[in-house]
Amino acid sequence: MRLILDWDGTVTERDTLHMVIERFGDPGVFHAMEARIGRELTLNEVIEVEMATITAPFAEVLDWLLDVVTVRPGFAALAAEHAPLIVSAGFRDLILPVLERERITVDVVANSLEPDPSGWRSVFLEREACAVCGEPCKRVALAGGDSFIYVGDGFSDRCVSLVAGRVFARDGLARWLDQRGAAYERYDDLNDVRAALDARPSA
Ligand SMILES: [Mg+2]
Ligand SMILES: [Zn+2]
């Protein structure tokens, strides 16, 4: 089974969108919008509004992010052994430079940014709305392929985690799966995931 990783809060120790919005955007908008995800607004709609509060030059934001963002321990070894695919609700523009810094090459499925002094624009991958959650979610992104192992931490991982062959969860995703009584394996860092895959390989 192919290994699929969420990016923000899963590979990275902190959510990089939260980080850049806190530092360069409008944290007030951020906190107001987060409460509306999955209620009256889709995740993409919320991200779009939040990112539009950033007006700083892209290079300034990226330089700052590369100084402060950390990846979870075990990422390099997990990537080397399992050639994961990263599927993110965030942006390639903020993911690929971190991978380059870490000298790790993996495939990435994510949205793109058009930074603009009047507010950064989000350009989302075109995807149908999911029949289950109603959003253009990661379940749709991975539909039609083989069974997969999924590693996540948050809202964007909920729907897809219910169809994965095997799930690793932490933080909000783990709490959500607990509430539903759904099975998963808990991880803290990515060494935990690699050790579990070594101990019980999945076909
Ligand atoms: Mg996440
Ligand atoms: Zn869905």
Side-chain angles (χ1 to χ4, degrees):
M1 285 196 273
R2 183 146 202 203
L3 180 65
I4 312 292
L5 303 179
D6 169 54
W7 176 254
D8 283 296
T10 295
V11 173
T12 66
E13 295 195 290
R14 291 192 56 212
D15 186 307
T16 62
L17 296 189
H18 294 192
M19 291 168 72
V20 298
I21 293 161
E22 271 176 14
R23 174 71 179 78
F24 295 96
D26 185 331
V29 169
F30 175 80
H31 292 296
M33 295 302 286
E34 289 295 301
R36 302 171 69 181
I37 296 176
R39 295 186 173 88
E40 69 263 49
L41 295 175
T42 66
L43 177 62
N44 282 359
E45 288 167 342
V46 166
I47 289 173
E48 185 172 32
V49 172
E50 291 172 348
M51 296 308 285
T53 69
I54 303 175
T55 57
F58 180 74
E60 182 186 338
V61 176
L62 184 60
D63 283 352
W64 176 83
L65 182 65
L66 289 172
D67 269 352
V68 295
V69 70
T70 51
V71 299
R72 212 167 280 287
F75 177 46
L78 185 68
E81 268 186 38
H82 294 279
L85 170 67
I86 290 168
V87 181
S88 172
F91 301 97
R92 306 176 61 77
D93 316 66
L94 298 172
I95 296 172
L96 299 181
V98 179
L99 289 170
E100 195 175 323
R101 185 195 71 183
E102 300 293 318
R103 295 191 173 79
I104 290 170
T105 306
V106 288
D107 292 333
V108 176
V109 174
N111 303 305
S112 7
L113 280 169
E114 287 179 1
D116 189 278
S118 69
W120 288 14
R121 280 189 297 278
S122 302
V123 182
F124 295 104
L125 290 171
E126 293 212 12
R127 209 179 270 161
E128 286 172 30
C130 173
V132 177
C133 72
E135 304 208 12
C137 77
K138 294 181 184 180
R139 182 196 289 241
V140 178
L142 293 166
D146 294 332
S147 185
F148 52 87
I149 302 163
Y150 194 85
V151 187
D153 76 303
F155 184 88
S156 73
D157 310 311
R158 289 181 180 183
C159 190
V160 68
S161 70
L162 299 179
V163 290
R166 189 173 177 183
V167 180
F168 291 87
R170 66 187 312 283
D171 201 32
L173 179 65
R175 291 193 296 274
W176 187 80
L177 291 168
D178 281 337
Q179 285 165 11
R180 301 180 64 96
Y184 67 92
E185 294 165 73
R186 191 177 289 273
Y187 71 98
D188 282 319
D189 66 33
L190 296 171
N191 288 313
D192 299 339
V193 174
R194 188 166 57 94
L197 293 176
D198 284 348
R200 184 166 73 81
S202 302

PDB file of all heavy atoms in Angstrom, residues 35-56:
ATOM      1  N   ALA A  35     -13.384  28.741  13.282  1.00  0.00           N
ATOM      2  CA  ALA A  35     -14.595  28.232  13.935  1.00  0.00           C
ATOM      3  C   ALA A  35     -15.673  27.867  12.911  1.00  0.00           C
ATOM      4  O   ALA A  35     -16.628  27.173  13.244  1.00  0.00           O
ATOM      5  CB  ALA A  35     -15.135  29.268  14.906  1.00  0.00           C
ATOM      6  N   ARG A  36     -15.522  28.351  11.675  1.00  0.00           N
ATOM      7  CA  ARG A  36     -16.573  28.135  10.672  1.00  0.00           C
ATOM      8  C   ARG A  36     -16.269  26.981   9.724  1.00  0.00           C
ATOM      9  O   ARG A  36     -17.119  26.596   8.924  1.00  0.00           O
ATOM     10  CB  ARG A  36     -16.784  29.430   9.868  1.00  0.00           C
ATOM     11  CG  ARG A  36     -17.161  30.598  10.783  1.00  0.00           C
ATOM     12  CD  ARG A  36     -17.164  31.915  10.048  1.00  0.00           C
ATOM     13  NE  ARG A  36     -18.255  31.990   9.081  1.00  0.00           N
ATOM     14  CZ  ARG A  36     -18.458  33.046   8.284  1.00  0.00           C
ATOM     15  NH1 ARG A  36     -17.654  34.099   8.358  1.00  0.00           N
ATOM     16  NH2 ARG A  36     -19.457  33.048   7.438  1.00  0.00           N
ATOM     17  N   ILE A  37     -15.059  26.404   9.812  1.00  0.00           N
ATOM     18  CA  ILE A  37     -14.694  25.295   8.918  1.00  0.00           C
ATOM     19  C   ILE A  37     -15.655  24.138   9.117  1.00  0.00           C
ATOM     20  O   ILE A  37     -15.888  23.709  10.243  1.00  0.00           O
ATOM     21  CB  ILE A  37     -13.261  24.797   9.207  1.00  0.00           C
ATOM     22  CG1 ILE A  37     -12.236  25.889   8.907  1.00  0.00           C
ATOM     23  CG2 ILE A  37     -12.951  23.549   8.377  1.00  0.00           C
ATOM     24  CD1 ILE A  37     -10.814  25.493   9.275  1.00  0.00           C
ATOM     25  N   GLY A  38     -16.175  23.648   8.001  1.00  0.00           N
ATOM     26  CA  GLY A  38     -17.031  22.462   8.055  1.00  0.00           C
ATOM     27  C   GLY A  38     -18.427  22.770   8.574  1.00  0.00           C
ATOM     28  O   GLY A  38     -19.260  21.883   8.649  1.00  0.00           O
ATOM     29  N   ARG A  39     -18.676  24.019   8.963  1.00  0.00           N
ATOM     30  CA  ARG A  39     -20.020  24.401   9.379  1.00  0.00           C
ATOM     31  C   ARG A  39     -20.645  25.161   8.216  1.00  0.00           C
ATOM     32  O   ARG A  39     -21.240  24.569   7.336  1.00  0.00           O
ATOM     33  CB  ARG A  39     -19.973  25.216  10.671  1.00  0.00           C
ATOM     34  CG  ARG A  39     -19.450  24.370  11.833  1.00  0.00           C
ATOM     35  CD  ARG A  39     -19.512  25.070  13.167  1.00  0.00           C
ATOM     36  NE  ARG A  39     -19.146  24.158  14.245  1.00  0.00           N
ATOM     37  CZ  ARG A  39     -17.904  23.963  14.659  1.00  0.00           C
ATOM     38  NH1 ARG A  39     -16.898  24.620  14.121  1.00  0.00           N
ATOM     39  NH2 ARG A  39     -17.647  23.106  15.634  1.00  0.00           N
ATOM     40  N   GLU A  40     -20.439  26.493   8.159  1.00  0.00           N
ATOM     41  CA  GLU A  40     -21.047  27.184   7.014  1.00  0.00           C
ATOM     42  C   GLU A  40     -20.083  27.416   5.851  1.00  0.00           C
ATOM     43  O   GLU A  40     -20.503  27.841   4.783  1.00  0.00           O
ATOM     44  CB  GLU A  40     -21.721  28.499   7.446  1.00  0.00           C
ATOM     45  CG  GLU A  40     -20.788  29.590   7.896  1.00  0.00           C
ATOM     46  CD  GLU A  40     -20.636  29.635   9.395  1.00  0.00           C
ATOM     47  OE1 GLU A  40     -20.390  28.569   9.999  1.00  0.00           O
ATOM     48  OE2 GLU A  40     -20.744  30.721   9.959  1.00  0.00           O
ATOM     49  N   LEU A  41     -18.794  27.133   6.056  1.00  0.00           N
ATOM     50  CA  LEU A  41     -17.827  27.330   4.976  1.00  0.00           C
ATOM     51  C   LEU A  41     -16.988  26.070   4.772  1.00  0.00           C
ATOM     52  O   LEU A  41     -16.716  25.334   5.717  1.00  0.00           O
ATOM     53  CB  LEU A  41     -16.888  28.496   5.318  1.00  0.00           C
ATOM     54  CG  LEU A  41     -17.514  29.890   5.430  1.00  0.00           C
ATOM     55  CD1 LEU A  41     -16.462  30.882   5.903  1.00  0.00           C
ATOM     56  CD2 LEU A  41     -18.111  30.323   4.098  1.00  0.00           C
ATOM     57  N   THR A  42     -16.566  25.847   3.518  1.00  0.00           N
ATOM     58  CA  THR A  42     -15.657  24.729   3.258  1.00  0.00           C
ATOM     59  C   THR A  42     -14.249  25.114   3.713  1.00  0.00           C
ATOM     60  O   THR A  42     -13.937  26.295   3.899  1.00  0.00           O
ATOM     61  CB  THR A  42     -15.598  24.373   1.754  1.00  0.00           C
ATOM     62  OG1 THR A  42     -14.994  25.469   1.052  1.00  0.00           O
ATOM     63  CG2 THR A  42     -16.977  24.086   1.182  1.00  0.00           C
ATOM     64  N   LEU A  43     -13.411  24.107   3.845  1.00  0.00           N
ATOM     65  CA  LEU A  43     -12.018  24.354   4.230  1.00  0.00           C
ATOM     66  C   LEU A  43     -11.348  25.290   3.222  1.00  0.00           C
ATOM     67  O   LEU A  43     -10.643  26.230   3.600  1.00  0.00           O
ATOM     68  CB  LEU A  43     -11.256  23.027   4.328  1.00  0.00           C
ATOM     69  CG  LEU A  43      -9.769  23.123   4.652  1.00  0.00           C
ATOM     70  CD1 LEU A  43      -9.538  23.770   6.015  1.00  0.00           C
ATOM     71  CD2 LEU A  43      -9.120  21.742   4.604  1.00  0.00           C
ATOM     72  N   ASN A  44     -11.568  25.044   1.914  1.00  0.00           N
ATOM     73  CA  ASN A  44     -10.953  25.902   0.901  1.00  0.00           C
ATOM     74  C   ASN A  44     -11.417  27.357   1.035  1.00  0.00           C
ATOM     75  O   ASN A  44     -10.621  28.284   0.883  1.00  0.00           O
ATOM     76  CB  ASN A  44     -11.284  25.407  -0.507  1.00  0.00           C
ATOM     77  CG  ASN A  44     -10.439  24.213  -0.915  1.00  0.00           C
ATOM     78  OD1 ASN A  44      -9.583  23.757  -0.151  1.00  0.00           O
ATOM     79  ND2 ASN A  44     -10.687  23.695  -2.100  1.00  0.00           N
ATOM     80  N   GLU A  45     -12.700  27.548   1.317  1.00  0.00           N
ATOM     81  CA  GLU A  45     -13.209  28.920   1.461  1.00  0.00           C
ATOM     82  C   GLU A  45     -12.547  29.627   2.637  1.00  0.00           C
ATOM     83  O   GLU A  45     -12.204  30.813   2.560  1.00  0.00           O
ATOM     84  CB  GLU A  45     -14.738  28.896   1.635  1.00  0.00           C
ATOM     85  CG  GLU A  45     -15.469  28.542   0.348  1.00  0.00           C
ATOM     86  CD  GLU A  45     -16.948  28.200   0.538  1.00  0.00           C
ATOM     87  OE1 GLU A  45     -17.363  27.894   1.682  1.00  0.00           O
ATOM     88  OE2 GLU A  45     -17.676  28.231  -0.456  1.00  0.00           O
ATOM     89  N   VAL A  46     -12.365  28.887   3.713  1.00  0.00           N
ATOM     90  CA  VAL A  46     -11.726  29.461   4.899  1.00  0.00           C
ATOM     91  C   VAL A  46     -10.258  29.804   4.613  1.00  0.00           C
ATOM     92  O   VAL A  46      -9.778  30.898   4.925  1.00  0.00           O
ATOM     93  CB  VAL A  46     -11.849  28.478   6.098  1.00  0.00           C
ATOM     94  CG1 VAL A  46     -10.916  28.865   7.227  1.00  0.00           C
ATOM     95  CG2 VAL A  46     -13.301  28.437   6.576  1.00  0.00           C
ATOM     96  N   ILE A  47      -9.554  28.865   3.981  1.00  0.00           N
ATOM     97  CA  ILE A  47      -8.141  29.103   3.656  1.00  0.00           C
ATOM     98  C   ILE A  47      -8.011  30.314   2.730  1.00  0.00           C
ATOM     99  O   ILE A  47      -7.126  31.160   2.895  1.00  0.00           O
ATOM    100  CB  ILE A  47      -7.518  27.838   3.017  1.00  0.00           C
ATOM    101  CG1 ILE A  47      -7.352  26.742   4.080  1.00  0.00           C
ATOM    102  CG2 ILE A  47      -6.185  28.162   2.352  1.00  0.00           C
ATOM    103  CD1 ILE A  47      -6.898  25.402   3.524  1.00  0.00           C
ATOM    104  N   GLU A  48      -8.913  30.420   1.758  1.00  0.00           N
ATOM    105  CA  GLU A  48      -8.865  31.521   0.790  1.00  0.00           C
ATOM    106  C   GLU A  48      -8.974  32.882   1.498  1.00  0.00           C
ATOM    107  O   GLU A  48      -8.209  33.807   1.212  1.00  0.00           O
ATOM    108  CB  GLU A  48     -10.008  31.350  -0.206  1.00  0.00           C
ATOM    109  CG  GLU A  48     -10.031  32.344  -1.330  1.00  0.00           C
ATOM    110  CD  GLU A  48     -11.080  31.970  -2.382  1.00  0.00           C
ATOM    111  OE1 GLU A  48     -12.133  31.386  -2.007  1.00  0.00           O
ATOM    112  OE2 GLU A  48     -10.838  32.245  -3.562  1.00  0.00           O
ATOM    113  N   VAL A  49      -9.922  32.993   2.418  1.00  0.00           N
ATOM    114  CA  VAL A  49     -10.115  34.256   3.147  1.00  0.00           C
ATOM    115  C   VAL A  49      -8.908  34.558   4.030  1.00  0.00           C
ATOM    116  O   VAL A  49      -8.429  35.691   4.103  1.00  0.00           O
ATOM    117  CB  VAL A  49     -11.409  34.198   3.992  1.00  0.00           C
ATOM    118  CG1 VAL A  49     -11.517  35.411   4.910  1.00  0.00           C
ATOM    119  CG2 VAL A  49     -12.637  34.100   3.089  1.00  0.00           C
ATOM    120  N   GLU A  50      -8.399  33.517   4.702  1.00  0.00           N
ATOM    121  CA  GLU A  50      -7.252  33.714   5.598  1.00  0.00           C
ATOM    122  C   GLU A  50      -6.004  34.151   4.823  1.00  0.00           C
ATOM    123  O   GLU A  50      -5.298  35.084   5.237  1.00  0.00           O
ATOM    124  CB  GLU A  50      -6.953  32.411   6.353  1.00  0.00           C
ATOM    125  CG  GLU A  50      -8.033  32.065   7.368  1.00  0.00           C
ATOM    126  CD  GLU A  50      -7.849  30.691   7.989  1.00  0.00           C
ATOM    127  OE1 GLU A  50      -7.014  29.889   7.488  1.00  0.00           O
ATOM    128  OE2 GLU A  50      -8.547  30.400   8.969  1.00  0.00           O
ATOM    129  N   MET A  51      -5.725  33.487   3.694  1.00  0.00           N
ATOM    130  CA  MET A  51      -4.508  33.801   2.931  1.00  0.00           C
ATOM    131  C   MET A  51      -4.589  35.203   2.321  1.00  0.00           C
ATOM    132  O   MET A  51      -3.566  35.863   2.120  1.00  0.00           O
ATOM    133  CB  MET A  51      -4.272  32.762   1.830  1.00  0.00           C
ATOM    134  CG  MET A  51      -4.005  31.353   2.320  1.00  0.00           C
ATOM    135  SD  MET A  51      -2.707  31.212   3.561  1.00  0.00           S
ATOM    136  CE  MET A  51      -1.237  31.438   2.552  1.00  0.00           C
ATOM    137  N   ALA A  52      -5.814  35.658   2.026  1.00  0.00           N
ATOM    138  CA  ALA A  52      -5.989  36.990   1.425  1.00  0.00           C
ATOM    139  C   ALA A  52      -5.642  38.108   2.408  1.00  0.00           C
ATOM    140  O   ALA A  52      -5.513  39.263   2.007  1.00  0.00           O
ATOM    141  CB  ALA A  52      -7.423  37.146   0.919  1.00  0.00           C
ATOM    142  N   THR A  53      -5.451  37.760   3.696  1.00  0.00           N
ATOM    143  CA  THR A  53      -5.036  38.784   4.667  1.00  0.00           C
ATOM    144  C   THR A  53      -3.520  38.992   4.649  1.00  0.00           C
ATOM    145  O   THR A  53      -3.000  39.852   5.352  1.00  0.00           O
ATOM    146  CB  THR A  53      -5.489  38.437   6.110  1.00  0.00           C
ATOM    147  OG1 THR A  53      -4.757  37.297   6.595  1.00  0.00           O
ATOM    148  CG2 THR A  53      -6.984  38.153   6.174  1.00  0.00           C
ATOM    149  N   ILE A  54      -2.804  38.189   3.848  1.00  0.00           N
ATOM    150  CA  ILE A  54      -1.350  38.347   3.727  1.00  0.00           C
ATOM    151  C   ILE A  54      -1.039  39.221   2.512  1.00  0.00           C
ATOM    152  O   ILE A  54      -1.502  38.940   1.405  1.00  0.00           O
ATOM    153  CB  ILE A  54      -0.651  36.990   3.576  1.00  0.00           C
ATOM    154  CG1 ILE A  54      -0.993  36.084   4.768  1.00  0.00           C
ATOM    155  CG2 ILE A  54       0.859  37.177   3.450  1.00  0.00           C
ATOM    156  CD1 ILE A  54      -0.432  34.679   4.638  1.00  0.00           C
ATOM    157  N   THR A  55      -0.256  40.282   2.731  1.00  0.00           N
ATOM    158  CA  THR A  55       0.106  41.192   1.637  1.00  0.00           C
ATOM    159  C   THR A  55       1.627  41.331   1.492  1.00  0.00           C
ATOM    160  O   THR A  55       2.102  42.013   0.594  1.00  0.00           O
ATOM    161  CB  THR A  55      -0.501  42.594   1.882  1.00  0.00           C
ATOM    162  OG1 THR A  55      -0.047  43.064   3.154  1.00  0.00           O
ATOM    163  CG2 THR A  55      -2.027  42.561   1.882  1.00  0.00           C
ATOM    164  N   ALA A  56       2.379  40.694   2.363  1.00  0.00           N
ATOM    165  CA  ALA A  56       3.848  40.817   2.342  1.00  0.00           C
ATOM    166  C   ALA A  56       4.410  40.167   1.086  1.00  0.00           C
ATOM    167  O   ALA A  56       3.785  39.283   0.497  1.00  0.00           O
ATOM    168  CB  ALA A  56       4.423  40.126   3.586  1.00  0.00           C
TER     169      ALA A  56
END
